[in-house]
Amino acid sequence: MSVMQLALYEKYDLRLPRYTSYPTAPHFSASVNGRVFESWLGDLDPAQPLSLYLHIPWCREMCWFCGCNTKITKQYDPVGNFVVALRAEIASLLSKLDPAHRFKVSHIHFGGGSPTALKPEDLRAIMADLTDRIDILDDAEVALEMDPRTATPEFIDAMADCGFTRASIGIQDFNPFVQRAVNRVQSFELVEDVIARLRAHRISGINVDLMYGLPFQTVESIIETVDQTVTLNPDRLSVFGYAHVPWMKKHQNLIPTEALPDTAARWAQYEAIQTQLTSHGYSAIGLDHFARDDDAMAIAQKSGLLHRNFQGYTTDRAEALIGFGPSAISSLPQGYAQNDPALARWQRAVEAGKCAIEKGIAISNEDRIRRDIINELMCNLTVDVAAICADHGTSADRFTCEIDRVRAMTQDGIVEVNGTHIHLTESGRPLVRAVCAAFDTYLDHAHGRHSQAV
């Protein structure tokens, strides 16, 4: 890496949102409550398919890098009590949809935490509750995030019985020294066995997660992990930079900060992963995903149909996503609504028959225009601001200042601007969040506490 490259990366390596929504979650407020959210549900168009997200906030042990909303338990009673509440929330929220119609679902995603913390019979019961109330489309994607350490053969049997089509497996890094430093010890052989079992059950969609920026990682160790990973032949990979936010996640204080890479090392690791995956035949998708050319995500990007939601990049185009479980965020045409992230408060609300929404935001027409611009940049690395404005019946003149701010970045070679057309260069790909930030009217650079841009 040249001195010039390093200076450029340090200039734009800001603390910025990941733009899985716009406006982003820090700007949600109590102005959206359970009553508002339930009215939004009642107004949903039954002709449009839904997307569902179920947050399972349980893990057997804490990974010290984790930034998710999760709880640790080795006993099943609290998990079982949670399942009872989750099933009650499913029944309650789905009953708020137009009762004259049976809604269809194009995408279901179980996230966490670790959904593999569930007993197989509870996974079956949750899926039965869903299918009792909605119809899952024949081509729907039904996905689940997996901790391979708790993905038992019986759990995978249940996934197959319930019609799951995709699994997302957390690898992060195969180096034993790095694994011990982040309290996530799992062998290559274990992951290999889990993927083989999934494919034997015709759960053929395989995602894997890798991370860079972890303690004691080096370019050499990361390349070794990538080379091991591609032998598993996943269709998609998510590559995330570790976000060290111990003021938000106290367990991250257990990570030896002196072993974390500096900005130059993080960038070198990111570039090594990208180069290595490309050499193995994977195409870069947006900011941090990779896919084989024949995968639906790569095809969606080439067709300009890639989308981004709270799970990251997706092929799902549903206009409404309903979230279940503590901290789950729903994205509806009218705005965003988030469940209470505190498990105990969420559970008490649901058990009392109340909606557990804690906060959210109703989105304006202005928000929708800016969201579309940011989504195009995040997904396709290019946008015609005038075309987006025309779709919304307005003029691009309103974004003259924003386009000028982006144009100033052309001198650094990260974007090309031609009139209202903005295009990220390949070297600008990892800095796309900095370009999006030019259109973010909510962003407070002085007080924001987001993750590093890379």
Side-chain angles (χ1 to χ4, degrees):
M1 179 184 299
S2 69
V3 174
M4 184 177 296
Q5 282 178 310
L6 179 57
L8 175 63
Y9 295 162
E10 288 178 337
K11 176 180 178 179
Y12 289 105
D13 195 17
L14 309 171
R15 299 258 174 199
L16 295 171
R18 294 188 179 276
Y19 291 115
T20 53
S21 70
Y22 183 81
T24 55
H27 305 290
F28 294 1
S29 74
S31 61
V32 172
N33 54 27
R35 178 184 55 78
V36 171
F37 178 59
E38 289 179 358
S39 71
W40 288 356
L41 290 176
D43 289 338
L44 289 178
D45 182 358
Q48 297 297 320
L50 303 173
S51 183
L52 308 180
Y53 173 76
L54 298 95
H55 187 77
I56 313 299
W58 295 103
C59 291
R60 297 281 178 84
E61 59 181 305
M62 180 65 74
C63 301
W64 295 341
F65 59 78
C66 184
C68 301
N69 179 29
T70 187
K71 294 285 186 181
I72 306 303
T73 182
K74 294 187 182 297
Q75 306 298 319
Y76 197 74
D77 282 352
V79 182
N81 292 335
F82 159 79
V83 169
V84 172
L86 180 66
R87 295 178 66 187
E89 184 179 42
I90 289 170
S92 176
L93 293 186
L94 294 185
S95 72
K96 303 300 188 295
L97 301 174
D98 184 346
H101 300 87
R102 189 172 172 89
F103 281 69
K104 300 184 184 302
V105 170
S106 60
H107 191 101
I108 299 175
H109 189 99
F110 282 69
S114 299
T116 45
L118 297 173
K119 286 184 176 180
E121 56 266 33
D122 281 337
L123 180 66
R124 287 187 171 95
I126 293 167
M127 286 298 295
D129 286 348
L130 293 175
T131 54
D132 280 349
R133 295 170 173 85
I134 47 89
D135 293 326
I136 301 176
L137 294 171
D138 290 341
D139 60 350
E141 181 170 283
V142 185
L144 182 143
E145 298 173 12
M146 302 184 74
D147 181 340
R149 300 171 298 175
T150 54
T152 64
E154 294 77 18
F155 188 90
I156 294 173
D157 289 344
M159 288 178 65
D161 292 343
C162 293
F164 280 82
T165 63
R166 182 169 294 278
S168 183
I169 299 169
I171 291 176
Q172 322 313 345
D173 193 294
F174 278 126
N175 184 282
F177 195 49
V178 175
Q179 289 185 354
R180 288 193 293 271
V182 297
N183 199 39
R184 174 79 177 218
V185 178
Q186 57 191 29
S187 68
F188 172 84
E189 290 74 22
L190 172 63
V191 176
E192 183 180 42
D193 179 66
V194 167
I195 291 177
R197 289 180 182 276
L198 288 166
R199 287 179 170 141
H201 284 74
R202 297 186 179 181
I203 302 172
S204 57
I206 302 296
N207 294 21
V208 300
D209 296 338
L210 301 180
M211 293 186 73
Y212 63 91
L214 294 174
F216 302 111
Q217 280 183 320
T218 65
V219 166
E220 292 74 23
S221 71
I222 280 181
I223 288 175
E224 185 176 355
T225 287
V226 170
D227 288 344
Q228 288 178 282
T229 300
V230 297
T231 67
L232 302 171
N233 196 31
D235 343 46
R236 304 174 187 172
L237 301 96
S238 303
V239 180
F240 301 118
Y242 166 59
H244 191 60
V245 288
W247 56 86
M248 295 174 59
K249 300 295 180 179
K250 300 301 183 186
H251 56 266
Q252 291 187 352
N253 286 305
L254 296 168
I255 286 180
T257 54
E258 69 278 4
L260 291 173
D262 60 16
T263 298
R266 283 176 66 96
W267 277 93
Q269 291 171 8
Y270 172 88
E271 290 177 339
I273 292 174
Q274 184 175 40
T275 299
Q276 202 68 6
L277 285 174
T278 301
S279 74
H280 284 294
Y282 289 89
S283 296
I285 305 293
L287 172 64
D288 49 21
H289 282 46
F290 296 81
R292 296 206 176 277
D293 285 343
D294 60 351
D295 181 76
M297 186 169 284
I299 295 169
Q301 179 177 252
K302 291 174 184 176
S303 305
L305 298 176
L306 189 64
H307 190 55
R308 190 162 172 83
N309 62 20
F310 295 104
Q311 287 77 62
Y313 291 107
T314 179
T315 58
D316 181 37
R317 302 292 292 180
E319 294 182 355
L321 182 155
I322 302 174
F324 305 89
S327 79
I329 301 177
S330 296
S331 173
L332 304 184
Q334 306 94 324
Y336 303 105
Q338 183 172 21
N339 273 347
D340 196 319
L343 174 63
R345 291 200 304 263
W346 168 84
Q347 196 158 326
R348 285 196 297 270
V350 173
E351 289 171 348
K354 299 177 181 178
C355 185
I357 293 298
E358 180 197 48
K359 58 185 178 180
I361 189 168
I363 56 176
S364 65
N365 288 334
E366 180 72 13
D367 293 334
R368 291 184 177 91
I369 299 170
R370 292 178 181 272
R371 180 176 63 181
D372 286 353
I373 292 170
I374 289 171
N375 188 69
E376 284 294 304
L377 286 168
M378 289 296 298
C379 292
N380 302 313
L381 305 178
T382 187
V383 66
D384 180 356
V385 176
I388 297 290
C389 289
D391 288 343
H392 288 271
T394 190
S395 168
D397 292 344
R398 66 196 301 164
F399 292 111
T400 299
C401 291
E402 287 86 345
I403 294 173
D404 285 345
R405 283 200 292 270
V406 175
R407 186 175 286 108
M409 302 178 187
T410 60
Q411 62 187 347
D412 292 322
I414 67 173
V415 290
E416 298 170 351
V417 179
N418 182 10
T420 63
H421 291 259
I422 298 171
H423 179 73
L424 271 290
T425 63
E426 191 56 35
S427 61
R429 177 189 293 272
L431 297 169
V432 61
R433 289 159 63 190
V435 180
C436 292
F439 294 91
D440 186 348
T441 59
Y442 293 85
L443 189 61
D444 182 348
H445 290 284
H447 299 97
R449 303 198 82 180
H450 300 283
S451 63
Q452 287 173 272
V454 173

